[in-house]
Amino acid sequence: MKAMRAAIGGGMRWALPSRCPGCGAVTEADHRFCGACWGKLRFLGPPWCASCGEPFAFDRGEEARCGPCLERPPRHDGARAAVAYGAIARRVVLRLKYGGRAALAETVARPMTRLLPVDADLLVPVPLHRWRIWSRGFNQAALIAAALSKSSGIAHDPTVLVRRRRTPPLRGLGPRDRARTVAGAFAISRRGAAVLRGKRVVLIDDVHTSGATADACTRVLRRAGAARITVLCWARVLAGEPHD
């Protein structure tokens, strides 16, 4: 029986080989990037701003913050992203969101796991409006949160935070217009307050751009009694870098 299963598995791998999430080239295993795409990903880590995660050119100290965060401190307790937003990171997000490649949620969750706070209690995905879920079929942030929960053992709940108002895409908008667009768009579900009270929450999303969405979500999570809120994403747009 073992030999038969091995033979079937080998046949499946030959017929349907694992492919690079970035370019589609054949790879050794699922969720692995080819050498070319791996080399184009910029993995983020210290030294960086203690608030927003913007990389520093040199180490300024563990609690150092960038100018914008000093001028206008974020509502959350820190934001982190696995990689910088670039051609490969963008392609993976687009394939996940619009290409129906739900398995890519695990691909992006794997490098995000190293950035999870050790004392986190609950993973909460940034919600989509119900009309967008119906048209797309899923919420990519919820899929990423589920994959992170599976690998880390931290509970996740995609129902406590809801998007009560449908908002237009933020693509192409500046920081102020983004903040204005998502203001008041999020709320806590009926059961959410009891679940969130006193919890150390990690807000999960795919891409961090201006921080407007994270800020709007943090506002309502904080009001619901969350003790601590950190933000964790697959990719973030770095200061001065182009984005869509």
Side-chain angles (χ1 to χ4, degrees), residues 9-180:
M12 290 293 290
R13 285 192 293 274
W14 178 83
L16 298 170
S18 300
R19 295 192 176 273
C20 171
C23 68
V26 175
T27 55
E28 294 181 357
D30 293 339
H31 311 294
R32 289 191 182 179
F33 290 87
C34 68
C37 289
W38 181 265
K40 293 176 183 176
L41 287 170
R42 179 182 174 184
F43 289 88
L44 300 178
W48 53 15
C49 172
S51 288
C52 73
E54 180 73 22
F56 289 147
F58 58 90
D59 192 353
R60 304 183 188 179
E62 190 173 338
E63 296 302 318
R65 284 162 172 77
C66 64
C69 286
L70 288 172
E71 183 179 350
R72 189 177 180 182
R75 288 189 173 88
H76 56 67
D77 298 291
R80 298 289 179 262
V83 300
Y85 190 75
I88 302 303
R90 176 181 181 273
R91 194 176 303 160
V92 173
V93 167
L94 292 179
R95 287 180 172 180
L96 169 59
K97 291 169 69 170
Y98 306 117
R101 301 283 298 279
L104 291 177
E106 182 178 344
T107 303
V108 304
R110 289 187 174 193
M112 291 169 65
T113 303
R114 67 184 171 89
L115 301 174
L116 280 168
V118 295
D119 59 351
D121 296 316
L122 184 66
L123 309 179
V124 175
V126 171
L128 291 181
H129 190 270
R130 61 182 180 276
W131 288 106
R132 190 160 292 174
I133 293 178
W134 288 345
S135 64
R136 186 177 298 172
F138 57 86
N139 174 7
Q140 73 279 355
L143 294 180
I144 295 170
L148 283 167
S149 178
K150 184 178 179 181
S151 63
S152 68
I154 302 170
H156 75 106
D157 193 327
T159 68
V160 296
L161 184 62
V162 297
R163 191 182 292 247
R164 63 184 178 184
R165 179 166 59 80
R166 193 176 182 183
T167 56
L170 302 182
R171 189 182 304 112
L173 298 180
R176 289 186 179 179
D177 288 333
R178 285 172 176 262
R180 192 178 300 115

Side-chain angles (χ1 to χ4, degrees), residues 1-15:
M1 185 62 74
K2 253 185 204 181
M4 184 179 293
R5 282 199 296 266
I8 292 173
M12 290 293 290
R13 285 192 293 274
W14 178 83

